[in-house]
Structure formats: C-alpha cells, structure tokens
Amino acid sequence: MVEVFGHADAYQQQCILQLTGHLDACESMLEEVLQRNPSDSLAATLLAQRHVERGWSVLGDGPAAEVTADQWAAYRQHLVTAEKLLIRVCAEHPQYAPAWRVRLVTSRGLDLGVVESQRRFQRLSAISPGDLAAQQLMFQELLPKWHGDFGKAHDFAWSCANAAPPGSPHAYLVVVYHLERWIAEHGIALGKPVDDPQAAAEIVAAGEMSVMNPGFITASGWIVALSHFALAYTLLEKWPQAQSCFTRLGPFASEFPWAYFDDGPRSAFMNFRKRAMGVR
Amino acid sequence: MIHYGQVDGIPTVYTEDGPVGAGLIFRVGSADEQLAQRGITHLVEHLALHELGVTDYHFNGTTGQFFTSFFTRGTPESVVTFLQKVAAGLKNLPMDRLEIEKGVLRTEADGRGTGIYERILFWRYGPQNRGLVDYLELGLNWLGRAELWGWAETFFTRANAVLWFTGMTPPSDLHLDLFSGQRQPLPASPEILPQTPSWAAEHSKHVGYHGIVKRSVAATVFSTLLHREMFRRLRQESGYCYTPVVDYGPVNADYAEILAVIDPSPEQRAAALGEFLDLLAQLRWGTTDPEALDEVKKMLARAQSEDDAEAGMTPSAALDLLMGATTPTLDEVRAELAAVTLADIRAVAVELADSAFLLVPEGSTADWAGFVQAPLVSTEVVRGVSLPAINNPDRSLVVGDEGVSLVGSEGAATVAFADCVVLLAWPDGGRALIGADGMGCALEPTLYPLTREHLATIERAVPQHLMVPMPARTQDRIPVPPDPPAESALAARVSKHLPRRLIIALAFSVLLLVALFMVSIGVPVWIAAATFIGALSASLYNARKQ
C-alpha cells in the first residue's frame, strides 16, 4: 500500500484515500499500525479519512432538517477524531500533501470557516501546485450550499482554470460552477436543454482550455473532466463537442456529474450519451 | 555582580551596577485574599504610600498576585528616605484616609479594562487565589480599620519582606520600623478546570494561550522561539495578526507560566487561530529548525552581556528569595543557555500543551484541536423548593438546604452553600451567590417569587464573613420580569407558526436578558457572559440545521 501510494500522483492519492475510507475492515488494522508507530503518516491519514466517511454516513442521505442532535454530535465526533490525527501528521510532516487534502474536508465539516479552509488550501498549493483534488475540495466549500457564494465559487473556478497549462482538466470546475448554479435556480429539472448564453460562452472557453484542447490527454482527472463537459455540451446542445467527449470517455464515467440526477448515475450517463450520440 | 546580604535583619539583594534604585517587596498579593475582602492588599499599599505625597523623585508601588512592591529611583539619600517612610506608613496606616483611598481605587478600577490574561486566570482558578485578579475589589465596600490593621500586621512585616538595591551599597545602618511577623508561604492555587488542555470562548478579539512549565533557561528560550515563529508565520508571512506577544514569568520556586496572545484581524480570525494551533503542534510534535534555535540562543546571550544586565535582574532575584528559589548566577545562566537542545525545546512544548488553556473569540471552537471545553453549566441541581420565574416558564430558581440553582433550558447554574465564596447583598433585596467553581446565581425578588423567608434561609446558610454589602442600585439597574404572555390559546396558535429564526431570536433575547440581570447586580460580567455564551451556543447548536 505504501509503495502504491508513494507512486501515485496527487489526484490518484486522493482517490485511493476515498476508496479506503469506505472499507470497514481497514479501521482496526490502521489503529493497530498507529499503536505500533504513532508517527506513521499514511496510516494516520487513512484512518482520518475513514473517520470522515463514518461521520458523513452518520448523517445519512435524508435532508438536513431530519438529522437529530445525536447524529450531529456523532458526526462532529468523527470529524474531530480525524482532525486530531491530521494535526499531528501535518506537524510531524508539514509537506505531507495527503493529510492537508483531508484537512480541507474536515475544515469544511467542522465549520472552521472559509478563511481557515483557504489557509489550508494555500499551504497545500505551495506543496502541490495545481492539485486538482485540492481544488475540487476547496471549490465545494465556496458553493452557497456550504459556506460560500456563487461569486466566490465563480472566481475560484476561473482562477484554477487560468492557472492550469493548456490541455489540463482543471477548467472543468467552470462547468461544475454552472451546473450547481442551474440546479440551484431550476432544481433537478436539469435534464432539459439550457438557454444561458453567458454560461455557454464560459463553458466553451473553458472547454478550449481543457478537454477540447489538442493537448488534452488521459492523465489524472481526465474522466471527471470529460464527464462534466459531456453533460454540459449536451445540455447546451453543442453536439459536436458533446459527441467528442462521449466518444473519448468510452465505457468510463465518473460518479459526478451523473449523480446529480434522480434516476442514478448509471442511467443518467447512458441517457445523456444516447441523446448526444443520436444527433446527426 | 549580584550580592546577597541583610539589612536590618531583612534579606537583601544588591548590585553596585546600574542606576541608583531600591525596592521593598512583601510576600503578599491578591492570591492571598478571599473574594469578600478582595482589594485589601491594594488598599494597604495605597495607604502606606500616601505619606510620601508628591516628591521630586520617582517612586511607585504595585500589588500583584503574590507580591507587593514599593520601589524608587533617585539618590542614595532619597532611596533611604523612601524606604523609611514606606515602612513607617505600613506600621501606622493613615486610617483617616481610608474612605478617600477607597474612592481612588474605585476610580482606578473603572479605568482599567480586563485583559485576556486576567480572563484566563479566572477560567483556570475561579473566584479564589490566582483567579481573583479578574474580580472587582469587593472589599472596598466594607473593609475597616480592624481588617486593614490585621492584614498589615500579618503580611507587611519584616520577616515577610526582602530588599533590593541597585547602583549603591545598602547602608548598613538602615533601620526600617516594621511589624516583625512571619514569612508567609505562597498560597496554593488549585485549578477549577476538570482537565487540560482546555478551551473557552468569550466576547473578545484576541486569542490567548496559557500554560505552566518548569522554570528553566530552556523554557525562556522556548518562549522567545515561540514568539519569533508567531511573528514570522502570523504576521510577516500571512498578515493574519498584528502584534503577537509571548510572556514568560515565574509563579513559584519551581514553575513558570507562558502566555501567548494574538490579535487577529477580524476577517482572518479563523485562519490566525488555525495557523497558531498548527505552529504549536509543530513545536510539540514536529521538528524545530536548528538554525532558528541557534539564532534565539545567540540573541539571548547578547542580551545577557549587555551592561546593566545584572541591575535588571536584581528585582527578580529579590522575588526569588521570597519564593524560596535559588537565582542562578549570570555564568550559570550562560552555561545553561549554551546547552539548550532541540529535545529541551520539545519537552517544554509538551509540558505547555498538556497544561494549556486556550481562550478564543466567540464563534470559534477548539474541540477539534484536542482541547476540552471548560464547563459552562453545573452538572447538578439542588433539591428544594422550585420557584418559576415570573412570566417565564422556561426558567426557575431552586432554593434548597444545600444551595441554590438557576435552571433553564440550556442547563443549570448551581451554588452549594458549602462551596460559596461570597454572598452579595443589595439594599433593594437583590442577592447573588458565587461558588468556588465560578458559577453564579442571581437571586432577584423582582424576577422570582422569593419571600423574606427564602432569603433568610440563604443568609443563615452562608457564613457572615462571606457577605458583602453592595452599593444601592438605581431603578434602571434592577431587573424587571418580561411581559406576561398573551392568552394561552392565542399563544399556542402563534408559537406553532413561529419561524425558526424568530424562536432563536427569542431565545437569544431571554438569555441576553438573564445575562444583563446578572451584570446589573454586579456579578462579574464574565460569569454572566460565560453563562450567556454557553447557553446560547448550546441552544444554537441544538437548533442548527445544515
């Protein structure tokens, strides 16, 4: 595990972390490892992520209004456990990016404030410039559904897009921004074609910087970027671009943006692909 | 060179270097007082200095937690005159000045704000010993000649004093006419915090971090290093705050306290706190830059080789004598300084972290960083007669044989008579009890159906010497109950449809009202604020939905 993790890039590390977090069996093994060596940064970070997952699963899938006080308390307890582990990892290894990434999630969940999350993001960016996973996490908090507003989210998405080299996936955050905005304004009636010239212009521009750029390759983040642009182009009825994205995706897809839809990510992906590829 | 000797039987520290000055220090301070007589030491100091009036040399007196000092600069002759006059003043306090000096002290208190250091001591120690620095000088309301004479005779004595001189040789024939007395050991100051590291939030702009460590040169190096890192990371590199401060000072022969304070800009408050806690974690768990340590050691070594370094050390050497501590020589300090290692720094960081108390601005939290919240409510309610608040079914006052409790939806504040440190009594009938754990109960006959019998029960249960008469309150400061509720059916209909925000706003107002009641009766604002904030956060946390 240590070897695999060591060879993974930033984005892959975060994916591994999130996958491990879902595994129950890991927890006691990780605790044992830490007992023997409390300074094991990987074990501590994995265990922290595990607690983050457990915290979120305590809240369940229902609306926030239905969460009980006990559930909130248990959720916070898990996040506090995670954060305490991570504080120590970052103290012992200030350059250990995976721990800083999970601290973006704990900062958001513990309500430490956007300003504190931004501090952690800046630390992380200094260690790991252009860290897409970090940008995704920071972007989430800047959405109004967390602690930000659409203005901040918009500015951040574009700053990430502009800072990335041509052909990088990062500009897909601009698509996420518009999708989130459309959802907030129109609800999950997000299947219908969208008439939003301003957004269209931005998405097209973002596309030229990333997935539609000749330099775009199947490097980390390629699936989630293509998935988002595929959906956006379909909604905007930009068929050549949509078809290009779906073709390149092949059999692959990421959970989001397809999980925005009620019929589930798999069905949503296939419906939209059918819609896009069916156009001559 | 620092020399040790005796003048008129009083232990003396002196150096011939530096400007001519002297000090007479007694082992007594606010930590020796009880809340009911708070201010007695300060009052004695003021009375003793009165005789000196306006002079053409510099003199001063300060009353601290453990020591009261009278000190001056001038010529060898003026120094001697000063010391003699202070001693004479202490042996024969000008009691005809009593009421006037009380007025002076009240004015002084009005002008003085409460600092974060005092607030931290309040949280750590409560209404006794070291925590008393944060309380009003209640003794000014009633202390008389007998009490002041007794205090002077016990504490302001030859056996409980030390002298220091700089820039001169102490005159061997100096005679100071003081009471003989006995040496008074430092009072123990038990902590009321159930455990550390601990945190609390208050209405304040600053963050304060306080801990206790063993006295050592390594600890002073640590403090300097901490300040250097705070300045670099919190000011220079980030601009999160403006003037970080670190203070180090002995509290007894073996231990010292370290206080770090940061003044974050309001927008960056959360980031300042996060960065500060990460910095502390790094000192405690991680590696400190060896170059930073070397630079700090060099800087401190330079400070010690300055002229007059020993003159500067003389008053602290005098305090050490009173504390029963041995003051190392400058050479010993230099050697210890050179020997400080990274491991020593980490050891201090560990000790500091384990004993720490963190005070943060309202709205911030610290549970996520491993701090346990200091208790805001009592865990128990006394058994007794329950008196519901007038027009306010959410609150009640319980009066029992063992104590009193104020009960609300957010929790209870209980004061057991056995643990009561003071009973405040206003001419209008209002009462307040403060317990050793810092909890306070306001007993207002305007808010609760308190009868004369209830009040008599309470007064019988509290020893006479803990009762403090309070000055009369103006009408606007006597709390009034809320308006009676509308007809019950109408009220039920309305409350079902009250939007959540309005309910929270009502809860806020009720809690604010209670806090204001407590403040108006003179209960320390911090108890009221603590109760209010704790109750408010608890109710907001419960009501909160994401």
Side-chain angles (χ1 to χ4, degrees), chain A residues 24-95:
Chain A
D24 293 344
C26 271
E27 201 170 319
S28 39
M29 184 265 295
L30 291 168
E31 278 165 358
E32 254 174 75
V33 170
L34 276 175
Q35 276 249 349
R36 278 183 270 123
N37 176 16
S39 295
D40 187 330
S41 42
L42 177 56
T45 306
L46 286 169
L47 185 57
Q49 176 69 22
R50 173 79 192 125
H51 276 285
V52 166
E53 289 300 332
R54 286 186 62 190
W56 248 272
S57 70
V58 163
L59 295 183
D61 291 323
E66 287 170 20
V67 178
T68 66
D70 281 346
Q71 280 175 298
W72 282 118
Y75 158 79
R76 190 174 177 90
Q77 198 42 54
H78 278 297
L79 291 182
V80 165
T81 305
E83 175 69 7
K84 291 200 291 203
L85 286 163
L86 295 167
I87 288 177
R88 182 168 171 172
V89 174
C90 292
E92 288 178 314
H93 310 277
Q95 311 290 314

Side-chain angles (χ1 to χ4, degrees), chain B residues 338-425:
Chain B
V340 170
T341 62
L342 289 172
D344 296 329
I345 296 300
R346 181 195 292 257
V348 177
V350 170
E351 213 187 344
L352 180 63
D354 287 344
S355 66
F357 181 77
L358 177 71
L359 195 55
V360 295
E362 229 173 340
S364 298
T365 55
D367 56 334
W368 49 273
F371 295 81
V372 172
Q373 192 167 21
L376 297 172
V377 293
S378 301
T379 48
E380 284 170 18
V381 173
V382 296
R383 264 201 299 249
V385 173
S386 178
L387 308 169
I390 296 167
N391 296 339
N392 188 355
D394 287 336
R395 305 192 71 74
S396 61
L397 178 62
V398 183
V399 179
D401 293 328
E402 320 256 289
V404 298
S405 294
L406 266 178
V407 182
S409 48
E410 68 289 346
T414 297
V415 179
F417 295 131
D419 300 328
C420 172
V421 295
V422 86
L423 169 63
L424 309 179

Side-chain angles (χ1 to χ4, degrees), chain B residues 512-524:
Chain B
L512 184 59
L513 230 70
V514 172
L516 287 172
F517 301 154
M518 293 170 84
V519 170
S520 73
I521 62 166
V523 169

